[in-house]
Amino acid sequence: MKNESTIIDVPAESSSAMKGKAPLIGVAKDHTTSGSGGYKRGLSIFDFLLRIAAIIAASVAAGTMFTSDETLPFFTQFLQFEAGYDDLPTYQFFVIAMSIVSGYLLLSLPISVVTIVRPLATAPRLLLLVLDTAALAFNMAAASSAAAISYLAHNGNQNTNWLPICQQFGDFCLKSSGAVVSSFVAVVFFTILVVLSGVALKRH
Amino acid sequence: MKSGQAEIVETSKAIQKSGLMSRRNAILEFILRIVAFFNTITSAILMATTNETLPFFTQFIRFHAEYSDLSALTFFVIANAVVSGYLILSLPLAFVHIVKSKTQNSRVLLIILDVAMLGLLTAGASSAAAIVYLAHKGNNNTNWFSICQQFNSFCERISGSLIGSFVAVFLLILLILLSAIALSRRH
């Protein structure tokens, strides 16, 4: 009798009992509260704005270095009295790398818009984080190698008999150093973008 | 009732499996950190022990070369030393991630520190790479002479020590990716 009553009663209650008792397993997936969606949407909007700022910084860096040619009006002891970014392979790498980085940033704007529209989806954010980290490393490589060459151009090196060329080519030096600074600003933006994506990926 | 029990057993198996995946993730992260530490410390030591004195007289007034003669190489040694120190100090935290299950905030902290170290290491490695390229090839347009023609073993040493550093950069990117995946899948 006892067994019969449990067999009859339990199926009638089981679905509601499971819905009532299952939350230990089920409710962990219930993330559709608007609270966490709101602050993640704010983070996504900030991410979008930072991306636009980083596009400006990266393209200014590429453009300034590209147009940094200088021709000296007078004769000096150097046989060459013309300087441009293509005289130094490191500066060539810099221009190419910054162009690639600004192109990548432009292409990542739609993905950023997707994270604004759907703030709780983790796949676009994860993709953005990975691509941003790779772009950060690439940008930093271009910026620091160009900075090493700029430092050498400004100060020279006595131990290796490398003379500083900035004493002759003042304008070229100024423009190329400015491009390097702008590129480091883009690196800072990238760092904030990666940290932002990491924080926004947290699940509560 | 039986189907209900089967459902409960199935979802608990899924949770066990995801727990196993995150444990595997954390163990892989721990191992990658150790490998990256060895790479950076090797690079720093290789670069810091460069010392070559030429036995004969050349047109250079100097016939002695070491890493401190070039400021980019000094920065390379310092950056690699700092990053290897950080990697050793973050090993206990990575170990805690293997054992503990609710690690979200410490993972965010680890991502922030990893990104900062990635920036520092990449800066050191690429500035040293630019200078090493210049030492190998020289530059005709700026009258910068390539010093590798005189200092052969010095040049080989500084070129070889760059490899470990770039491998560590790649490993740091992988570490950031693993932390992000672990953050995004926590239940």
Side-chain angles (χ1 to χ4, degrees), chain B residues 23-161:
Chain B
R23 181 156 296 201
R24 238 179 259 165
N25 198 326
I27 291 178
L28 183 63
E29 222 183 291
F30 189 73
I31 294 176
L32 282 183
R33 253 175 226 280
I34 294 181
V35 174
F37 164 71
F38 277 121
N39 273 317
T40 47
I41 200 83
T42 308
S43 283
I45 292 178
L46 263 181
M47 181 69 85
T49 56
T50 55
N51 198 332
E52 185 179 359
T53 312
L54 293 180
F56 49 87
F57 189 73
T58 69
Q59 69 261 37
F60 282 107
I61 295 173
R62 258 189 105 87
F63 33 87
H64 176 79
E66 56 177 348
Y67 79 100
S68 53
D69 292 337
L70 289 150
S71 49
L73 301 185
T74 316
F75 175 56
F76 176 80
V77 172
I78 296 175
N80 271 281
V82 167
V83 171
S84 62
Y86 159 74
L87 283 171
I88 270 287
L89 287 177
S90 69
L91 275 181
L93 196 55
F95 187 70
V96 162
H97 287 163
I98 300 179
V99 176
K100 220 171 144 201
S101 59
K102 193 174 188 307
T103 55
Q104 291 224 345
N105 291 327
S106 65
R107 273 201 197 274
V108 169
L109 175 68
L110 213 54
I111 280 192
I112 295 176
L113 290 177
D114 274 348
V115 167
M117 289 302 140
L118 171 71
L120 180 63
L121 191 62
T122 311
S126 355
S127 53
I131 297 297
V132 166
Y133 179 80
L134 205 58
H136 271 283
K137 300 274 177 76
N139 194 305
N140 292 331
N141 303 318
T142 49
N143 271 348
W144 287 340
F145 188 67
S146 72
I147 65 171
C148 275
Q149 292 171 5
Q150 262 76 20
F151 298 97
N152 270 327
S153 84
F154 173 70
C155 248
E156 274 174 18
R157 204 98 188 249
I158 59 180
S159 316
S161 68

Side-chain angles (χ1 to χ4, degrees), chain A residues 7-132:
Chain A
I7 289 175
I8 293 173
D9 285 346
V10 164
E13 293 176 5
S14 70
S15 53
S16 57
M18 268 182 41
K19 279 183 190 152
K21 287 183 189 161
L24 289 174
I25 302 169
V27 88
K29 294 199 193 276
D30 182 26
H31 288 298
T32 54
T33 56
S34 61
S36 84
Y39 111 91
K40 283 189 181 179
R41 179 164 284 166
L43 284 180
S44 296
I45 295 178
F46 188 44
D47 176 290
F48 185 75
L49 295 173
L50 266 183
R51 233 166 254 282
I52 294 184
I55 290 176
I56 297 176
S59 42
V60 159
T64 310
M65 183 65 89
F66 189 69
T67 57
S68 61
D69 300 58
E70 185 183 2
T71 313
L72 292 181
F74 50 87
F75 190 73
T76 70
Q77 67 264 35
F78 283 106
L79 260 66
Q80 175 116 345
F81 36 90
E82 197 181 43
Y85 83 95
D86 47 3
D87 291 333
L88 290 147
T90 309
Y91 282 169
Q92 282 174 339
F93 169 61
F94 178 81
V95 170
I96 295 174
M98 294 317 291
S99 324
I100 292 178
V101 161
S102 28
Y104 154 73
L105 278 169
L106 266 175
L107 289 177
S108 71
L109 278 178
I111 309 182
S112 186
V113 168
V114 165
T115 61
I116 296 181
V117 167
R118 297 221 176 281
L120 297 166
T122 59
R125 268 192 223 278
L126 196 54
L127 178 67
L128 271 186
L129 191 139
V130 172
L131 293 177
D132 278 348

